[in-house]
Amino acid sequence: MTSIAERPDTKAADFVIVARRHPGRWVAALVVVAILGLLCWSVLTNDRFGWPTVGTYLRDVSIGRGVVITLELTGLCMLVGLTLGTVIAVGRLSPNPVVRGAAFGYVWFFRGTPVLVQLLFWFNLAALYPKLSFGIPGVALNANELITPMMAAVLGLGLNEAAYMSEIVRAGILSVDRGQSEAAGALGLTRIETMRRVILPQAMRVIIPPTGNETIGMLKTTSLVSVLAVPDLLYSAQAIYARTFETIPLLIVASIWYVVVTSILSVGQYYLERHYARGSKNLALTPVAQLRSAFGIDRFATRRTR
């Protein structure tokens, strides 16, 4: 007998297009859902977690103030890190060996020492320089009044972040084809104008994803400022459970708030990446499209008739 594919009068429109089945994905998904369900049931039914206490303090005023301070610290430190990191990245690529060496030394030092040590160092700066003059005659600022715990936190986290951001920005700059800068130079643009108008806008596609990760990491790293008595989210939770001795519920409250804020930042990072990836073939899929693609239901069987 002649098969359908061999029949000369058969057209492509006569065939039924059926999506490929993926039974293994469904089995794996069921296993994962079962494990997560058992874990959630164990956690929710364990009275030792103190869920009523968690619900009570989740909306506590001092916890809310701690969240605000955490967000302020994250924004300030990332602003310092991104601004200074861009300057250092440009310095790393400078043809001047002195500037290039100084930029490398900055990255080497701040990446080589723990951020907690840097926080404690800035907090105790007054022990080394009781009076700060910044080389200006007649100026003598009291370091104890100037270097507050909040200021020490911004300096410690921001300067440390600048070292990491400089490498991210440098990688983004190097990802842009060298012909772009040569073409800009042929048009009469200076090196600074070329960097600002030609190179950096194109490098943003590479810079944005790791910068979003650094922002989320900074949000969690701000918990270290609790050692300086800065009333951030973690310190606010510690202050409450030091009084009530309900350690686990308050740590859960802090964890929930960290997860909520990082989730919001992740959504913002996702759409920011899509914005700078416009025109690219590797445009990120939406969450719904990713889910449909994972389970092989992004296409539906269709039948065409003559």
Side-chain angles (χ1 to χ4, degrees):
M1 296 179 63
T2 304
S3 64
I4 296 177
E6 294 174 350
R7 289 169 54 184
D9 58 338
T10 303
K11 297 181 179 180
D14 295 330
F15 294 100
V16 177
I17 302 174
V18 182
R20 183 178 179 181
R21 308 300 180 185
H22 299 280
R25 295 182 183 180
W26 290 102
V27 173
L30 290 175
V31 171
V32 171
V33 169
I35 294 174
L36 290 177
L38 292 174
L39 180 61
C40 292
W41 177 259
S42 173
V43 171
L44 294 175
T45 57
N46 190 340
D47 295 334
R48 294 184 178 88
F49 280 93
W51 294 112
T53 304
V54 172
T56 300
Y57 286 104
L58 199 59
R59 303 179 301 274
D60 189 79
V61 176
S62 61
I63 295 294
R65 286 197 294 263
V67 173
V68 173
I69 292 177
T70 296
L71 292 174
E72 290 176 349
L73 267 176
T74 303
L76 288 173
C77 295
M78 285 305 301
L79 180 62
V80 172
L82 183 58
T83 304
L84 184 57
T86 303
V87 175
I88 295 172
V90 175
R92 288 287 306 272
L93 300 173
S94 173
N96 189 323
V98 177
V99 174
R100 189 169 62 247
F104 174 80
Y106 181 97
V107 175
W108 169 78
F109 176 79
F110 281 94
R111 288 201 307 178
T113 54
V115 63
L116 182 58
V117 174
Q118 296 175 31
L119 284 171
L120 295 174
F121 175 84
W122 287 108
F123 184 68
N124 294 282
L125 184 64
L128 296 175
Y129 299 97
K131 300 293 183 180
L132 299 176
S133 63
F134 303 105
I136 302 176
V139 176
L141 301 177
N142 190 335
N144 283 315
E145 297 177 355
L146 183 63
I147 307 297
T148 61
M150 189 71 172
M151 177 63 72
V154 172
L155 288 174
L157 296 178
L159 296 180
N160 179 266
E161 183 61 29
Y164 292 91
M165 284 304 306
S166 68
E167 293 299 284
I168 293 174
V169 175
R170 185 169 69 94
I173 294 173
L174 292 176
S175 69
V176 180
D177 188 81
R178 186 176 180 84
Q180 297 289 322
S181 58
E182 294 176 352
L187 293 175
L189 296 179
T190 65
R191 190 170 185 272
I192 297 178
E193 290 175 336
T194 301
M195 185 64 64
R196 182 169 58 89
R197 298 183 178 182
V198 179
I199 304 300
L200 286 180
Q202 297 183 66
M204 292 301 290
R205 185 178 300 175
V206 177
I207 294 173
I208 288 297
T211 301
N213 293 334
E214 287 293 317
T215 303
I216 293 174
M218 176 60 70
L219 177 75
K220 295 178 289 184
T221 306
T222 55
S223 60
L224 293 177
V225 303
S226 59
V227 301
L228 306 181
V230 176
D232 71 319
L233 176 55
L234 179 59
Y235 184 84
S236 300
Q238 289 175 329
I240 295 175
Y241 73 63
R243 184 177 69 253
T244 63
F245 302 102
E246 295 173 311
T247 304
I248 298 298
L250 268 300
L251 291 178
I252 293 175
V253 168
S255 300
I256 291 174
W257 273 110
Y258 279 120
V259 169
V260 168
V261 177
T262 53
S263 300
I264 296 173
L265 291 177
S266 298
V267 172
Q269 174 190 353
Y270 166 79
Y271 284 103
L272 195 60
E273 288 181 19
R274 282 181 62 89
H275 172 75
Y276 282 101
R278 289 176 302 176
S280 173
K281 295 180 180 180
N282 298 322
L283 188 65
L285 297 175
T286 62
V288 175
Q290 291 178 10
L291 184 63
R292 292 169 64 88
S293 177
F295 289 100
I297 57 177
D298 52 335
R299 293 183 179 179
F300 294 95
T302 58
R303 181 188 295 271
R304 295 185 179 180
T305 58
R306 286 186 289 179

